Amino acid sequence: MDEQPARRQTWSVDVAGFALDLPIVPITPDFAISLMMVIDLGVRFGEHAGRELARKIAPLEPEIIVGPATLGIPVAIETTRSLGLDQYVVLQKSPKLHLADALEQKLTSITSKGEQRLLLDREAIPLVAGRRVVVVDDVVASGGSLKAALDLVRRAGGNVVGAGVILTEAQDWRTMLGPDAGLLVSLAHIPQFAPGPDGAWEPIPGS
Ligand SMILES: Nc1ncnc2[nH]cnc12
């Protein structure tokens, strides 16, 4: 019984004035991320993040906010509320009964296994078609989810004027988004992690 349990490591990040200590969670033995579960951080954080994102995107004069399920939903709600808008559009991941005929976009994600897709309810198309759209999400890492969301909104005739996330994570999203990376605003950045010489997680340089 002389083995110590591995000490739980955290990463501190200042999200536009709101301090978070995120748990560092291994994905493989050599790779970890600091996990931000926005739905576990309380309504004050959600409200803060929505207000700060709204402040950054307001100059783009968005007419509608779009958020991919699952964790983009609270971000879309709070950003919409803070902008003084009412309606927002959710891009679903699983085919709800009423979405049998939805517009569909395939994607791959690092935090969820297998091939996924985003779905836009055809009933929601008039909310984005010909309108100034900002897509929001909790975190952009690979960029797969955000890219699929941007593509889907454009296929529905939306004019994507911006994208906003609470956190950018590492740099892979830059390649995935290409020129659309220039549309992105964020409140803070987190690196990714690899084991250091003593076995503790250390930020991967340049990430
Ligand atoms: N660090 C992170 N926290 C929450 N969701 C994520 N998706 C990708 N990276 C993430």
Side-chain angles (χ1 to χ4, degrees):
M1 285 291 288
D2 53 3
E3 231 173 73
Q4 298 284 331
R7 211 166 64 81
R8 191 166 169 274
Q9 261 187 272
T10 59
W11 182 254
S12 300
V13 59
D14 178 332
V15 180
F18 199 116
L20 294 181
D21 288 313
L22 304 176
I24 297 181
V25 176
I27 304 289
T28 69
D30 308 316
F31 177 69
I33 65 174
S34 61
L35 194 63
M36 184 187 70
M37 291 302 290
V38 67
I39 51 174
D40 294 337
L41 293 173
V43 291
R44 270 190 289 278
F45 178 72
E47 187 182 11
H48 170 81
R51 184 172 57 241
E52 296 303 318
L53 276 176
R55 203 202 303 277
K56 288 205 168 186
I57 66 179
L60 305 171
E61 300 183 354
E63 295 172 285
I64 189 93
I65 301 298
V66 172
T70 306
L71 297 178
I73 298 175
V75 185
I77 292 173
E78 292 299 338
T79 307
T80 298
R81 192 199 308 278
S82 195
L83 285 165
L85 299 173
D86 179 39
Q87 295 291 308
Y88 55 93
V89 172
V90 168
L91 304 178
Q92 294 285 358
K93 277 184 187 159
S94 53
K96 312 287 181 233
L97 258 187
H98 70 290
L99 292 181
D101 187 36
L103 273 187
E104 180 178 324
Q105 189 79 37
K106 297 254 190 314
L107 72 104
T108 52
S109 149
I110 58 163
T111 41
S112 314
K113 294 197 188 78
E115 192 175 77
Q116 290 192 49
R117 58 199 166 160
L118 289 179
L119 301 163
L120 174 62
D121 184 357
R122 284 185 195 270
E123 300 271 316
I125 291 177
L127 291 173
V128 299
R131 303 185 76 197
R132 298 174 67 82
V133 179
V134 171
V135 176
V136 298
D137 209 346
D138 59 336
V139 181
V140 65
S142 74
S145 175
L146 193 56
K147 178 176 169 36
L150 298 175
D151 290 348
L152 190 48
V153 167
R154 287 182 177 129
R155 278 175 53 207
N159 171 19
V160 177
V161 294
V165 294
I166 300 174
L167 298 177
T168 53
E169 176 179 21
Q171 308 292 337
D172 289 352
W173 54 272
R174 292 184 191 278
T175 314
M176 176 69 84
L177 293 181
D180 282 339
L183 291 177
L184 190 66
V185 299
S186 70
L187 302 183
H189 180 79
I190 53 172
Q192 293 172 332
F193 302 85
D198 64 353
W201 294 109
E202 291 181 2
I204 298 170
S207 76

